[in-house]
Amino acid sequence: MPAVQLTAVSKSYRRRGRPPQKALDNLDLLVESGGVHGFLGPNGSGKTTTIRVLLGLVSADPGGGEIRLLDQPVPDGLPDVIGSVGALVETPLFFPGLSGRLNLQLLAEAAGVSKARVEECLELVDLSGRADDRFKGYSLGMKQRLGIAAALLKAPRLLILDEPSNGLDPAGIRDVRELIRRLGRDGHTTVLLSSHLLAEIQQVCDSVSILARGRCVASGPVGEVLASRGSGDVLVQIADPAAAAAVLQGAGFSVSPADGALMVHSVAAPSDITRVLAGSGLYLEELRRVTPDLESAFLAITGDQPHDGPAAPGIPA
Amino acid sequence: MSAVVEQPGAPVAQPTVHRASFGSLLRSEAHRFRSRRFIQLLLVLAVVGWVVSTVIGLLNYGTPDDGDLADAQARLDEIVAEQQVFYEECLEDANVPDDTTPEEWCGPAPTADNFGGPEAFLDKAPFDFGEAGTSGALGVAALAAALAVAIGATWIGAEWSSRTIVALLFWVPRRLQVMAAKLTVLVAAAALFGVLTQAAWLATAGIWEALVGGPDALPENFWSALLQTQGRGVLLVVLAAVLAFGLTNVVRNTGAALGIAFVYTAIVENILRALRPHWEPWLLTSNALGLVQQGGYTITYWNDGPIGPDGNPPEYYLGPLQAGVYLGLVAVVLAAVGAVLFAKRDLH
């Protein structure tokens, strides 16, 4: 059962005196249950709008699209599954004059969650010592941690985190990463992680979807997405790079030097390199396909073209 | 957040399904209402205000002895005698128009009742519960209604300014249910506030009556009239809170809502009273007065419309039932508009 499924979902924001801004454009998105799914996209690509649509905060354009959350249609079936969904969307929203603990207790009371769970979650995000301080006195990182604690209160089957590392110090980022990884591996929880920290996504996520201009332009296991954007370059380590380069160029390969080694471009089958060099009496020390990191893949997929600003004035992407 | 690393296993609980019931939502909202610093501050100020006003009353009312009464009577007699001299001079005045008699021209002869009796000349008059009971309840209701406006506006306005109402939808996605819970808590709290303020008035009046009260017995049907006035006062407090809640929910900003309320009551209503006197039965404060005041509110159109056959200007009677229904309708419509907008709007 997919945890999240969007089929042909569109969303346009009306703008006074200007044509509507399309935030989602026939978006198809599938997040299977279990593991950590990364949600990437440039500013204005529609990530936060997608999350808001999933949570029923924003209504999709009428006509055709289908949204399912934990196999229930959204928004009609949302009340049946919201008890299994934890979410942190952009900025944590709490009463500034109330303490962190009381803010969580109020949410817990509304959903019938025990007070003990509140304490567990405060402990989990290392806020127990400051839980009685007023929320408005918290640092940005503490506010973010309280937001994560609120998202975890329900011990959710689906945890939606929108930029959870915002405002956290390096240790905090590491701890959140560990937490997400652990949740994703517990076999019960699906984590949908929206982040602009590509390295974080690559380290933590099992699968990834990349949005651009309101559409999903790439999706699948992280390895597959990276491989699909591979350039076909192969790195060759050999004792005599100059001789090897001459042989390979003679065999029709495109070759360039690469820091004491050779980079052979657009290689369909790396075994061809082995065969050609061996035929000339040259033997490899190392032969390795060069796979792009997520940042390279992301830039290649999205064309490094940020959508033209926020989806609409005051409306997050 | 090193706790995450140091205590890796414990807190990640097995997923469970939590369902928010309306009852649990109500409990949570009531808890939040009690926890609000504004409400706590308001209660403290209300208690301080009650103590101060009770003490001021004790200092300004008094139990006169025979000597005080004799002094007051002497001063009253003196004033009446002075006025009697002026009156007689008026009667003998040669400038009285030909088409009227001196008695018509000068009016009735002055009496002690014209000057409020000897009680008006006491340095410290005794408190008269029979006379001040219902008017005091009206004043307390007006003050409590003004505070209820602030309570209602800030109750939902704080949600919009912090956007916590959006976060609550992650837990309870049925928006009308969320709004109903907030409104229910507000109505209950406003009713309790109205009852407490009226009880405080009874306590104050009881203390004054016991310590500095006059000898007069309470008039017939006093308690019935007072309790009815107080009941309508509590209703006004609830309606004021709902009105402010609805308005703030529509404009989604406490400051804007309170500004609109101030401009309406301080400026718009007075302009309308001056320029469109016949619109007064539709003004909110006129209806508030008609609702709570014993016997309703009779509007007199002094500067507008023909004088009636009896020589009096035309009047409009605004009774408690009409005023209550009108205010209730306005409150319900505003609250409903705010709720429907909340249910339909995209929330960011």
Side-chain angles (χ1 to χ4, degrees):
Chain A
M1 176 189 76
V4 173
Q5 189 172 15
L6 287 91
T7 310
V9 174
S10 295
K11 173 64 187 176
S12 300
Y13 290 111
R14 282 176 294 177
R15 299 183 299 178
R16 196 170 295 166
R18 288 187 291 170
Q21 176 77 48
K22 203 151 210 173
L24 301 181
D25 184 9
N26 275 309
L27 175 67
D28 295 324
L29 180 70
L30 184 70
V31 178
E32 292 291 353
S33 290
V36 183
H37 187 88
F39 200 39
L40 290 176
N43 290 341
S45 60
K47 299 189 300 294
T48 302
T49 296
T50 304
I51 291 172
R52 290 186 186 284
V53 165
L54 279 173
L55 294 170
L57 300 178
V58 165
S59 57
D61 291 345
E66 188 185 11
I67 308 159
R68 296 187 82 82
L69 195 63
L70 296 175
D71 213 27
Q72 289 292 323
V74 173
D76 294 344
L78 203 51
D80 296 328
V81 294
I82 200 71
S84 304
V85 179
L88 168 64
V89 183
E90 289 194 319
T91 321
L93 306 173
F94 294 103
F95 293 106
L98 303 184
S99 69
R101 176 177 278 117
L102 184 53
N103 267 299
L104 291 194
Q105 281 175 353
L106 292 176
L107 290 173
E109 274 180 21
V113 175
S114 70
K115 278 187 179 176
R117 180 64 186 158
V118 170
E119 298 306 318
E120 280 178 10
C121 290
L122 286 168
E123 186 70 27
L124 180 66
V125 297
D126 201 18
L127 265 184
S128 295
R130 299 288 303 274
D132 290 323
D133 292 3
R134 285 206 252 174
F135 178 73
K136 67 180 174 190
Y138 283 3
S139 67
L140 188 59
M142 290 165 71
K143 288 177 178 175
Q144 199 71 7
R145 283 190 267 162
L146 192 68
I148 294 170
L152 291 170
L153 266 184
K154 288 183 270 189
R157 284 166 60 201
L158 173 63
L159 180 62
I160 299 173
L161 298 174
D162 189 9
E163 304 288 0
S165 301
N166 268 358
L168 295 179
D169 55 21
I173 292 174
R174 181 201 59 199
D175 291 343
V176 167
R177 188 190 304 142
E178 288 299 321
L179 174 65
I180 291 170
R181 201 176 272 156
R182 194 145 45 84
L183 285 165
R185 287 175 186 164
D186 70 2
H188 309 290
T189 312
T190 307
V191 182
L192 178 60
L193 173 64
S194 167
S195 174
H196 67 278
L197 299 177
L198 300 175
E200 178 178 280
I201 293 269
Q202 191 167 359
Q203 285 183 54
V204 171
C205 295
D206 306 300
S207 56
V208 66
S209 292
I210 299 178
L211 261 65
R213 298 177 183 83
R215 285 172 168 270
C216 183
V217 291
S219 187
V222 174
E224 283 182 19
V225 170
L226 294 179
S228 72
R229 307 311 300 179
S231 58
D233 289 358
V234 173
L235 185 73
V236 175
Q237 287 279 4
I238 196 161
D240 187 354
V247 169
L248 288 170
Q249 281 169 340
F253 288 99
S254 169
V255 181
S256 60
D259 205 13
L262 293 177
M263 188 69 76
V264 188
H265 304 288
S266 305
V267 180
S271 58
D272 290 346
I273 297 174
T274 312
R275 184 171 44 75
V276 168
L277 291 176
S280 302
L282 297 168
Y283 297 99
L284 293 167
E285 292 173 359
E286 185 186 353
L287 182 75
R288 177 164 56 86
R289 262 202 187 279
V290 177
T291 54
D293 60 12
L294 195 55
E295 183 173 319
S296 310
F298 174 80
L299 294 175
I301 290 168
T302 62
D304 193 18
Q305 290 289 311
H307 209 34
D308 45 356
I315 297 167
Chain B
M1 284 183 55
S2 56
V4 174
V5 179
E6 290 163 6
Q7 304 172 18
V12 181
Q14 293 280 317
T16 44
V17 179
H18 296 281
R19 287 187 188 280
S21 65
F22 190 67
S24 61
L25 187 56
L26 273 180
R27 277 192 295 278
S28 169
E29 290 298 317
H31 188 176
R32 191 202 133 209
F33 192 93
R34 293 194 310 271
S35 306
R36 293 190 67 212
R37 284 176 187 270
F38 175 73
I39 298 299
Q40 292 165 353
L41 181 68
L42 194 71
L43 284 178
V44 170
L45 289 177
V47 170
V48 170
W50 178 79
V51 171
V52 169
S53 59
T54 303
V55 170
I56 289 174
L58 287 174
L59 295 175
N60 283 280
Y61 289 115
T63 310
D65 55 23
D66 290 344
D68 295 330
L69 286 171
D71 288 346
Q73 186 65 50
R75 267 184 279 170
L76 175 62
D77 291 344
E78 193 180 327
I79 297 284
V80 171
E82 279 177 9
Q83 294 300 314
Q84 185 66 33
V85 171
F86 295 138
Y87 181 67
E88 284 166 6
E89 285 175 2
C90 176
L91 291 176
E92 291 164 8
D93 192 341
N95 295 324
V96 175
D98 295 337
D99 58 346
T100 184
T101 64
E103 287 73 18
E104 284 177 342
W105 176 250
C106 299
T111 65
D113 287 344
N114 294 145
F115 302 96
E119 293 82 10
F121 292 87
L122 289 167
D123 287 336
K124 286 187 177 180
F127 173 68
D128 186 348
F129 190 28
E131 190 178 301
T134 51
S135 56
L138 172 65
V140 167
L143 183 62
L147 293 174
V149 167
I151 293 171
T154 57
W155 172 235
I156 189 70
E159 296 264 14
W160 283 116
S161 71
S162 62
R163 290 170 60 226
T164 41
I165 197 164
V166 176
L168 187 56
L169 296 177
F170 300 167
W171 298 71
V172 190
R174 290 191 174 98
R175 297 187 187 188
L176 287 178
Q177 195 178 67
V178 168
M179 201 48 69
K182 292 187 183 300
L183 202 50
T184 303
V185 168
L186 178 67
V187 166
L192 181 63
F193 182 63
V195 168
L196 286 176
T197 51
Q198 291 297 340
W201 163 240
L202 283 184
T204 299
I207 291 170
W208 288 348
E209 181 72 4
L211 299 179
V212 289
D216 298 343
L218 294 176
E220 200 178 344
N221 295 326
F222 168 78
W223 285 107
S224 167
L226 176 61
L227 291 176
Q228 284 182 40
T229 302
Q230 289 190 301
R232 294 193 301 270
V234 172
L235 178 60
L236 177 67
V237 171
V238 172
L239 291 174
V242 175
L243 268 168
F245 177 94
L247 178 63
T248 310
N249 201 25
V250 169
V251 299
R252 299 201 280 184
N253 184 293
T254 310
L258 291 178
I260 290 170
F262 175 77
V263 168
Y264 169 78
T265 50
I267 299 174
V268 174
E269 281 204 344
N270 287 323
I271 290 175
L272 289 177
R273 280 195 182 94
L275 301 179
R276 294 281 185 274
H278 278 276
W279 290 9
E280 188 165 356
W282 303 104
L283 301 182
L284 295 180
T285 55
S286 301
N287 280 276
L289 186 59
L291 169 64
V292 183
Q293 186 167 255
Q294 191 184 3
Y297 173 42
T298 300
I299 301 165
T300 305
Y301 300 121
W302 293 102
N303 302 318
D304 185 81
I307 301 295
D310 55 355
N312 292 323
E315 292 178 339
Y316 184 92
Y317 174 67
L318 198 51
L321 180 62
Q322 179 186 339
V325 169
Y326 176 69
L327 287 176
L329 274 176
V330 174
V332 166
V333 166
L334 261 180
V337 168
V340 169
L341 286 175
F342 175 64
K344 298 283 180 194
R345 275 171 170 161
D346 285 346
L347 297 172
H348 300 285

